[in-house]
Amino acid sequence: FIGHLLEACGFANLAPAGSRYRELQVEEIRAMDPDVIMLSSEPFPFKEKHIPSIQRICPGARVLLVDGELFSWYGSRLLLAPAYLSGLSGELMPKEA
């Protein structure tokens, strides 16, 4: 569900499909060489304190904390998801000089 939502909003999910809450190993993440890593508040509550360790794995990636409820909860929260994801997309696009 989360992968489909990301792709529908123009993001490419580099993590291959797997179990419901797939855990990636450090070398897998490093090998993917992502431009952006989104740390979700759901199902694991990532916080600011987690960003430095992720940044050490992929120093070239932009690491963002994102609202997991808007990515992964079904129901009425989905009404807010398009605007939220559009805002993220706009934040990640390079600024024109």
Side-chain angles (χ1 to χ4, degrees):
F1 175 80
I2 297 167
H4 290 296
L5 186 59
L6 287 169
E7 290 170 8
C9 293
F11 294 98
N13 185 358
L14 299 182
S19 64
R20 185 171 178 189
Y21 297 115
R22 181 143 192 281
E23 293 182 29
L24 298 171
Q25 301 303 310
V26 170
E27 288 308 317
E28 289 177 284
I29 297 168
R30 190 174 284 129
M32 289 177 195
D33 191 28
D35 295 323
V36 177
I37 298 174
M38 296 180 188
L39 301 179
S40 180
S41 61
E42 295 282 337
F44 179 85
F46 283 102
K47 305 283 186 214
E48 286 282 336
K49 68 181 183 180
H50 297 106
I51 292 176
S53 61
I54 300 298
Q55 200 74 71
R56 282 191 292 278
I57 295 168
C58 294
R62 185 160 177 200
V63 182
L64 303 174
L65 295 174
V66 297
D67 186 340
E69 290 183 14
L70 298 178
F71 278 86
S72 58
W73 286 25
Y74 303 175
S76 61
R77 284 178 183 80
L78 281 179
L79 294 173
L80 304 173
Y84 180 75
L85 292 169
S86 178
L88 278 178
S89 182
E91 181 181 330
L92 294 170
M93 295 302 291
K95 306 282 188 238
E96 292 186 27

